[in-house]
Amino acid sequence: MAGFPYPKKIEVDKPPRPKPPKQLAVIDQTGCTGCEACISFCPVDCIEIVPGPEYRDFMKLVEVDLERCIGCQLCARYCPWETIDMWGYEEGVALAPEKTVRSLIYAYDPEQMHEAAESR
């Protein structure tokens, strides 16, 4: 999607959404347990597994590909830990870095990321 403010670290081989949604799902990774319940409910497969912040194979997290989220609310509704919130599109895009501890998809500015994020 042209004009998206964050460069991607990886390209996901999945179809793009036709237009930006009214709202976006943003995961507060500090509360995410990596249970992956949200992944099974996402109709567009836009939630990716992220290696854990301290140990890659332990305490994995999940992250929403903001450019592919359609704002359906299913992940937020079924997250057993209530760590997924729905935000207006612009607000969600702006808030995503500060809710993120570790990103596999986007190259967020480390200064914007959550204080628990790895310092680089």
Side-chain angles (χ1 to χ4, degrees), residues 10-80:
I10 62 169
E11 284 303 319
V12 180
D13 187 24
K14 296 176 184 173
R17 66 174 179 233
K19 63 180 184 174
K22 291 181 182 174
Q23 55 187 1
L24 286 175
V26 177
I27 298 171
D28 180 349
Q29 287 184 337
T30 62
C32 178
T33 65
C35 72
E36 302 177 25
C38 54
I39 292 174
S40 61
F41 288 101
C42 181
V44 294
D45 194 25
C46 74
I47 303 173
E48 303 293 331
I49 299 169
V50 178
E54 293 182 40
Y55 304 101
R56 296 184 63 77
D57 294 326
F58 182 68
M59 289 300 294
K60 293 181 182 182
L61 306 170
V62 292
E63 175 182 19
V64 173
D65 185 341
L66 301 173
E67 291 180 283
R68 294 188 40 258
C69 175
I70 61 171
C72 71
Q73 303 179 24
L74 290 173
C75 60
R77 188 175 305 149
Y78 292 106
C79 174

